[in-house]
Amino acid sequence: MTDSMAANNLHNQIPVNDTVAGYIEIINEFSKAYYHAPVFNNQPVWTSTYWQGIPVLKCPLDLWLYQEIIFNQKPDFIVECGVAFGGTTAYLADMCKLVGTGEVIGVDIEIQPQTRASLAKYQNVHLIEGSSVDIQITQQVFEIVENNNTLVILDSDHTKDHVLQELMIYSKLVPSGGYLIVEDTNINGHPVYPEYGLGPMEAVEEFLAIQSEFYIDKDCHKFLTTFNPNGYLKKM
Ligand SMILES: C[S@@+](CC[C@H](N)C(=O)[O-])C[C@H]1O[C@@H](n2cnc3c(N)ncnc32)[C@H](O)[C@@H]1O
């Protein structure tokens, strides 16, 4: 099998394009080690990664991509579904301050007091508590951001059905040339956490099959490993 054939066979399982086909196994093994190995306090390191002292449940290479996207798109609003401890919310808010524009709307089904306290000093963060697919919650979000330049990040319930619902709802907010980012497409064996079940990657596949406005921005695989393979969707 040629390197190119191998790349095509593994198309949906690896965060790379054909030019790095020869490194696929190494990349997948590194991605698995990064995600699973209990290298820090007996836990994977992504559970001990911080922005301004607040836990960020991400790979820093993805945060760097976020920074590049925010600099280029200069969104008026960033909608983040799934806030957890708020580290990414704070990071996004700080990036907005650095580029001189942008507010973050964080939606989470349950916002802990500690998360509110961590984010209290950020005047450009607005938190909305409730399910990201609840009509009352989506109405609140749409009233704030509709018709603005909006970046959307989906990082809440990772089951396929939920992510697909979010994709159908929040894709409407993304302007031409903007991004709709689906987090954790790496789970369910792409290449990590194979026992998860149908998740974000499968939601992306179905979403792309039923609409033609968005495409996978493979340039966002440039750091070789990512928690979001095929998850950086760009609107035509
Ligand atoms: C993976 S964590 C978010 C991580 C965070 N974005 C970060 O980068 O640090 C997932 C979050 O989604 C929230 N969540 C789960 N189901 C949800 C739903 N239906 N709507 C909104 N948030 C939900 C959970 O409460 C949890 O805080």
Side-chain angles (χ1 to χ4, degrees):
M1 185 184 290
T2 66
D3 283 351
S4 168
M5 281 163 69
N8 285 334
N9 285 349
L10 292 171
H11 172 73
N12 283 325
Q13 294 172 14
I14 50 162
V16 295
N17 60 35
D18 286 359
T19 61
V20 287
Y23 300 98
I24 288 168
E25 276 184 36
I26 292 170
I27 291 165
N28 278 338
E29 290 311 307
F30 176 79
S31 299
K32 286 191 253 182
Y34 191 92
Y35 190 88
H36 291 291
V39 292
F40 198 81
N41 292 336
N42 274 331
Q43 297 290 327
V45 72
W46 57 269
T47 65
S48 296
T49 300
Y50 302 87
W51 177 258
Q52 296 288 308
I54 312 172
V56 180
L57 304 177
K58 294 217 187 315
C59 170
L61 292 174
D62 288 308
L63 292 175
W64 194 267
L65 287 171
Y66 278 24
Q67 173 269 134
E68 294 186 4
I69 288 169
I70 291 166
F71 180 82
N72 289 325
Q73 186 177 339
K74 295 198 173 51
D76 300 316
F77 289 100
I78 302 175
V79 175
E80 183 195 24
C81 294
V83 172
F85 302 102
T88 297
T89 321
Y91 175 85
L92 297 169
D94 280 326
M95 291 307 117
C96 286
K97 284 193 221 163
L98 277 177
V99 299
T101 185
E103 298 178 29
V104 184
I105 313 296
V107 179
D108 200 292
I109 199 159
E110 189 175 6
I111 301 174
Q112 300 296 335
Q114 180 59 51
T115 300
R116 289 191 189 278
S118 300
L119 296 172
K121 68 175 181 179
Y122 287 90
Q123 308 224 317
N124 60 342
V125 168
H126 309 276
L127 297 175
I128 298 177
E129 189 168 60
S131 174
S132 56
V133 296
D134 181 320
I135 182 81
Q136 289 182 337
I137 299 300
T138 58
Q139 271 172 357
Q140 280 185 58
V141 175
F142 273 62
E143 271 167 28
I144 299 169
V145 313
E146 206 165 16
N147 299 321
N148 282 283
N149 174 11
T150 302
L151 168 64
V152 176
I153 299 164
L154 305 180
D155 192 17
S156 66
D157 176 341
H158 294 319
T159 55
K160 178 191 170 187
D161 287 351
H162 183 84
V163 178
L164 189 56
Q165 277 189 71
E166 287 183 326
L167 281 163
M168 300 308 289
I169 296 167
Y170 291 96
S171 57
K172 298 188 182 89
L173 294 176
V174 180
S176 177
Y179 283 85
L180 172 57
I181 302 172
V182 185
E183 282 280 335
D184 297 303
T185 43
N186 59 345
I187 63 176
N188 198 32
H190 309 297
V192 306
Y193 198 174
E195 66 277 23
Y196 180 80
L198 299 180
M201 177 70 87
E202 290 74 26
V204 166
E205 285 170 354
E206 193 160 325
F207 177 69
L208 292 179
I210 55 183
Q211 63 74 56
S212 54
E213 284 186 314
F214 288 85
Y215 66 95
I216 296 165
D217 184 359
K218 293 270 181 184
D219 287 349
C220 292
H221 299 155
K222 67 183 181 180
F223 295 128
L224 303 188
T225 191
T226 170
F227 280 10
N228 316 322
N230 293 354
Y232 290 88
L233 305 182
K234 194 168 186 183
K235 193 164 179 181
M236 305 277 183

